[in-house]
Structures are given as C-alpha cells and as structure tokens.
Amino acid sequence: MIATDLILFYLFSIVLLGAAVFVVTSRNTVHSVLFLILAFLNAAGLFILAHAEFLAMILVVVYVGAVAVLFLFVVMMLNVEYGDLKEMKKRYSLMGGLVGGVLALELVVMMYTWKSSPEAFDLTSSPNSLYKGVPNTQAIGNLLYTHYALIFQGAGVILLIAMIGAIVLTLRQREGVRKQKVGNQIAREAKDSVRLVDIPSGSGI
Amino acid sequence: MESTADFWTSLFFPTLSLVGYIFLIIVPLLLAIAYLTYAERKVIAAMQLRIGPNVVGWFGLLQPFADGLKLLHKETIIPTRANPLIFLIAPLITFGLSLSAWAVIPFDLGLVISNINVGVLYLFAISSLGVYGVIIAGWASNSKYPFLGALRSAAQMVSYEVSIGLVIITVLLSVGSLNLTKIIEAQQRIWFIIPHLPMAVIFMVSALAETNRSPFDLPEAEAELVSGYNVEYSSMTFALFFLGEYANMILMSATGSILFLGGWLPPFGIIPFTWIPGIVWFALKIAFLLFIFLWARATFPRYRYDQLMHLGWKVFLPFSLIWVVLTAGFLFSFNMLPGK
C-alpha cells in the first residue's frame, strides 16, 4: 500500500505543479482560472494523502467552491484585451525579473538556514501532541475554539470589518427605486383596494 | 512469488470488488434517474388532470428508454465559435460529480463504499463543485443566453450553499460527528426532523435552489433564456446535463433523508417495521423527498430573481444563524452536547 501512496503523491504533485505553470503561462485568463482550480483539487488530494481530510474538504469547499467561482465570475465578465505580447514583454520583463530574482534568492537563503524540529515528523500525523489518535477535525476544532478562541474571534472580526468596508465602498443609494414589501402585500385587503362607485351616466369619476 | 500473491490479494481483488460495488450503485442509480423522469411526467400529469406518457410499453413504462434512444440518435453539434474542449468537459463535470458523491452515502449499516470521517463535508464539497459544470458550459458556448443562465446559476448556487452549510452545522452540533453513519445512528431515538423542523424546511427549499429545480429554475427559465446554460448542447452532451440534474435531485433527497429522516432507520423500532430491511426504508424516504421536488414543480410559479436573492440572504441566512446559536445554547445549557 506504501507504493500506491507514493505513486499517488507523485501523480498529484506533478499535476499540481503542471497546472500551476499553466496558470501563469496560459494566455486566456479563463483557462488560467480553470488550471488554478485543477491545482486546488490536487492540493486537496495531497492533504488527503497526509491524513488531513478536514483541510482537504475545506480547501475544496472554500477555495474551489466559493473563491474560484468568484474569480471565474469576474474573469468571464471582464473583456480582457490580450494586447501585444512583445510590447508587454519589453515593459515588464525588467521589473518582473527583478522581483522574481529577489524572491528566488530569498528562497535559496531560507533553504540553507532551515532546520526542521525533531518532532516535525510526528506533527504531520496530528497537529498537536495533545491530540494523538483523535480525528483531525476534532483536533483542529479543539485548537481553534478552545486554546486560541480569542485570536480566532479576532480574525473573524477583521474579516467582518473588511467585508463592511467593501460594502460601504460600493454601496450607492438610488432614488426612486421601488422595492417589493412582502408584509404590505400580505396585509392588503379587499376593503383597502376596491371601492364601488356609482357613476351617473354621462360623466366620469 | 510472494510479491505476486501480495499484488493479487492486496491490490487486484480489492480494486476489482470496488469496481463491482461502484457498478452496484451506478446501475440502479441510472435506472432510478430514468424512472424519475417518468415519475415526474406522470405526477405532474396527474396534478394537471392529464394522463401523461402511456403509449410506449404498459402505462408508458418504456418511455424513458425511448427518450434516451431518441437523444442518442441526434447529432452532437459543437458551435463554431465555442471552445470545443471546455464545451465538452462541462457536461462531463456535471454528470461525473453527481455520480461521485454516492461513494459516501450509507444505504444500510455498513453498506457504504467509503465510510470516511468527513462524509458530510465531502457531500458539501461535491455539491459546491456542481456549479462549475453550469458556469463552464455557459462560458464555453460563447452565446448570450447560456452565459446569462450560467451567471444566474453561479450566484444562486453560491447563495444557497451558505444556508445549506448552516443547516448541516445544526445537525452536526446534535450529532458530534461528520460521519454519515454516525449521523444516522444518532437518530435512533428521534429523527432530527422533529427537533429541527424549520431547518428541514430550509434544507428542502435550498435543495430546490441548489439543483436548479422549479420554482428556482432561473438558470434555465425558458421564458427569458430559451433554456439557459444548455441551449447550445445537443444529443449526448445534453443528455449528460439532464441525467446530472436528476442524479443531483436524488442525491439531495438522499442527503436530506440522512440528515433529517434517519436514513435507513425505520420510523419506530418495533417489530412490523424492523422486518423491512433498512435499504427499503432509505429508498422510500428518498422517493418521498423526490415527490416533494415534483410536487413543488407542479404547484409554484417561478420566483423572480430579486425575490430569490432576498429569500436566500435576508430570510434563510439570518434564520439559520439564529437556529445554530439556539441549538448550541440549548445543548450547552442542558449539558447535552454530544461527545462529552
């Protein structure tokens, strides 16, 4: 069974990396988003191989099911001008190369000074030594809601503020918009809306 | 020699039996889909005082197969300005996802392909992926009605997923596990539809919206969008969308009966009810929920789009949030939290 795990690991990793490359290189932005989704799904597969099934499912639900849908939504609505590739290359290659080079340098420096802790291997199977033999859903729940409840709530408040900010920035109130009020419609009765009028012949109401 | 024996016992036979189990689920599922289309036409016909299909076979029982054969005889048309690869992937995604979710559904105690720890989350993840088939189809068709249908569908499915998520959370609070078998076993004493009746209603309505069924079938509103996201599809590609939609209906009914109607459990644990095997009870419950799907279609007019969004975000979301808090508070204050 170890062999199948290994084969699956390399399969997921290769597809993940390949998809990541295509996200950057494909010229059609919608294709980029689709490759990004493929990359997310393979990352979820890697999580499952690492026995982190809760993280895998949350990755699919949140990133693939919601965030990437919004990405796709926006990218489809935008009419992207593909422009002249050569001219783009000229304009961005120096700056892009510089940023990429600095990042690569930092990664190399990190790699040489990185020391993994001796317990790191045990931590891969359970996030905290307190939670040995407990399903990782329960372990994550315990950590987030018992030990780090305040920090977790703080993160939630920050996200709420961000959401309110986005709504305030884009909300515009228009005059003269008629909205459906269900309560009024239900409360409406025949005696409020219908009246009988005797019209003398030859004249209007 | 030892390694070959190992290969046969640990890899080949398990894989073979897994394929066998998959066929044991998929073949009845496809039959159920075929007869769901038949049941839909018969039920709606009865509600509208018509007869419905009655020509092909006794009582029209062979009608679904006649329809299927007719669809397969048609030509598969790929629009010239469409993106052919993505255009063909979209129905495959819809149909494949609607089948793959069945891997975790327990039909009876131990009668499940994969009894995973996070069964509910898996179901939720698969149903949240369902939007891609629609949205990709709408984009790849390169045509305005499919695109409008896809946009509507994306917004609708993302909105109603939120309330389904909260409904699932209330059930999880009362069970203490994400495992589907444990969720059913927790309903031995009482089905969750009784303590969580409002949540069951919200789940059912959200399931209608999630599967794009009437009265929430705005993505394929034929009066406005011709047929919505699948206008450009024909023959087998259309058939896959069609089968996927019905398979999703059956899946949602199965999920509903697991979460609220006690899955394979009989209504009372006494003798005449326990004689009937659990899988029959499960099938009966699924059939009942499917009848509600058809009943709703014959009864309600289509929602307007702003009403749909209003219902999802301003009615269901706050109400289910309050219900989550109430459930958690109740369980906590009476010291009834599971897993204690």
Side-chain angles (χ1 to χ4, degrees):
Chain A
M1 285 316 278
I2 300 294
T4 46
D5 270 15
L6 210 61
I7 293 168
L8 281 177
F9 173 77
Y10 281 115
L11 183 74
F12 285 137
S13 311
I14 289 168
V15 178
L16 170 62
L17 291 177
V21 169
F22 280 119
V23 171
V24 184
T25 54
S26 68
R27 295 195 55 198
N28 190 327
T29 42
V30 173
H31 293 181
S32 285
V33 179
L34 293 179
F35 278 118
L36 184 67
I37 293 162
L38 187 63
F40 280 145
L41 288 176
N42 282 285
L46 286 177
F47 271 132
I48 288 179
L49 284 184
H51 299 285
E53 69 266 8
F54 180 76
L55 285 183
M57 291 303 143
I58 288 298
L59 184 75
V60 174
V61 171
V62 175
Y63 283 93
V64 184
V67 173
V69 170
L70 293 183
F71 272 6
L72 205 56
F73 213 92
V74 172
V75 165
M76 281 177 180
M77 302 287 283
L78 287 178
N79 213 349
V80 183
E81 293 284 332
Y82 292 113
D84 191 5
L85 204 63
K86 273 199 181 136
E87 213 244 340
M88 295 256 283
K89 260 188 193 158
K90 225 183 272 171
R91 266 173 67 189
Y92 294 111
S93 57
L94 181 66
M95 202 59 208
L98 212 64
V99 172
V102 169
L103 279 178
L105 198 71
E106 282 176 350
L107 274 178
V108 170
V109 169
M110 273 293 289
M111 239 171 69
Y112 278 106
T113 55
W114 183 274
K115 284 196 193 71
S116 59
S117 107
E119 298 101 49
F121 187 73
D122 292 342
L123 287 177
T124 52
S125 55
S126 62
N128 190 321
S129 51
L130 281 174
Y131 300 117
K132 276 224 165 69
V134 164
N136 60 59
T137 314
Q138 204 177 334
I140 289 174
N142 242 321
L143 278 177
L144 281 185
Y145 292 101
T146 310
H147 295 289
Y148 298 107
L150 273 182
I151 299 171
F152 185 72
Q153 294 283 329
V157 171
I158 291 170
L159 285 176
L160 180 70
I161 292 170
M163 190 181 83
I164 292 173
I167 292 173
V168 167
L169 282 177
T170 52
L171 183 73
R172 60 198 168 101
Q173 254 151 12
R174 283 177 296 165
E175 293 290 319
V177 178
R178 307 217 304 176
K179 284 212 171 118
Q180 180 183 27
K181 291 188 183 107
V182 179
N184 290 359
Q185 290 181 342
I186 293 172
R188 193 173 142 117
E189 284 177 23
K191 68 176 192 308
D192 307 328
S193 2
V194 181
R195 67 196 164 102
L196 289 174
V197 185
D198 279 327
I199 308 171
S201 63
S203 68
I205 300 172
Chain B
M1 284 311 282
E2 205 178 299
S3 65
T4 33
D6 205 44
F7 166 78
W8 287 103
T9 53
S10 75
L11 202 65
F12 185 75
F13 288 122
T15 315
L16 197 70
S17 68
L18 192 65
V19 172
Y21 287 137
I22 291 173
F23 269 102
L24 273 184
I25 288 185
I26 285 185
V27 172
L29 181 65
L30 288 177
L31 270 179
I33 293 169
Y35 278 97
L36 179 59
T37 64
Y38 173 78
E40 175 168 39
R41 294 169 70 177
K42 275 290 189 192
V43 166
I44 293 179
M47 287 180 180
Q48 295 169 347
L49 303 180
R50 294 183 287 113
I51 298 174
N54 67 340
V55 176
V56 191
W58 307 279
F59 307 105
L61 273 173
L62 294 177
Q63 186 70 42
F65 300 104
D67 289 345
L69 281 177
K70 190 202 96 178
L71 259 181
L72 293 187
H73 272 280
K74 302 267 176 185
E75 182 191 353
T76 308
I77 299 168
I78 300 176
T80 41
R81 297 198 57 197
N83 194 327
L85 183 67
I86 299 183
F87 185 81
L88 291 178
I89 283 177
L92 292 180
I93 292 177
T94 305
F95 188 61
L97 284 175
S98 66
L99 293 185
S100 62
W102 287 89
V104 297
I105 300 280
F107 294 92
D108 201 340
L109 189 60
L111 206 61
V112 49
I113 288 186
S114 171
N115 192 10
I116 57 176
N117 276 335
V118 286
V120 184
L121 269 180
Y122 176 80
L123 280 183
F124 192 56
I126 294 287
S127 82
S128 74
L129 292 182
V131 65
Y132 281 111
V134 175
I135 198 170
I136 290 173
W139 182 77
S141 300
N142 208 349
S143 158
K144 55 180 171 287
Y145 293 121
F147 190 57
L148 288 172
L151 289 183
R152 281 184 176 190
S153 170
Q156 174 178 336
M157 288 169 99
V158 169
S159 307
Y160 279 82
E161 234 152 59
V162 180
S163 52
I164 286 194
L166 287 169
V167 168
I168 289 176
I169 287 175
T170 50
V171 171
L172 295 183
L173 272 174
S174 337
V175 178
S177 170
L178 292 149
N179 183 305
L180 290 171
T181 304
K182 283 193 182 144
I183 289 178
I184 293 175
E185 280 175 343
Q187 303 181 55
Q188 288 282 6
R189 263 192 304 174
I190 191 165
W191 293 358
F192 284 143
I193 191 168
I194 295 168
H196 290 307
L197 180 66
M199 287 288 108
V201 174
I202 287 185
F203 179 83
M204 201 59 216
V205 177
S206 302
L208 285 175
E210 194 70 9
T211 49
N212 293 331
R213 290 289 299 178
S214 144
F216 304 110
D217 54 347
L218 289 141
E220 45 195 281
E222 62 274 347
E224 304 148 37
L225 299 179
V226 194
S227 169
Y229 63 89
N230 56 24
V231 172
E232 305 287 349
Y233 284 86
S234 58
S235 178
M236 200 61 206
T237 52
F238 174 76
L240 287 181
F241 272 125
F242 194 73
L243 296 178
E245 184 185 329
Y246 282 81
N248 273 331
M249 278 166 67
I250 302 179
L251 178 71
M252 273 294 172
S253 306
T255 315
S257 57
I258 287 171
L259 290 179
F260 292 106
L261 297 178
W264 66 74
L265 294 174
F268 305 101
I270 46 175
I271 218 91
F273 295 107
T274 47
W275 282 344
I276 301 171
I279 193 164
V280 175
W281 281 118
F282 191 51
L284 282 176
K285 286 165 188 175
I286 292 178
F288 172 70
L289 290 182
L290 283 173
F291 176 73
I292 294 183
F293 270 89
L294 307 182
W295 191 10
R297 180 172 171 192
T299 312
F300 296 116
R302 184 176 294 130
Y303 258 57
R304 218 170 53 213
Y305 196 69
D306 62 313
Q307 290 170 327
L308 174 90
M309 284 294 157
H310 181 271
L311 185 71
W313 289 104
K314 293 188 179 170
V315 180
F316 281 0
L317 181 61
F319 185 82
S320 42
L321 257 178
I322 289 171
W323 197 266
V324 169
V325 174
L326 269 181
T327 311
F330 181 87
L331 291 174
F332 184 73
S333 51
F334 289 92
N335 212 7
M336 285 161 67
L337 275 175
K340 270 215 150 183

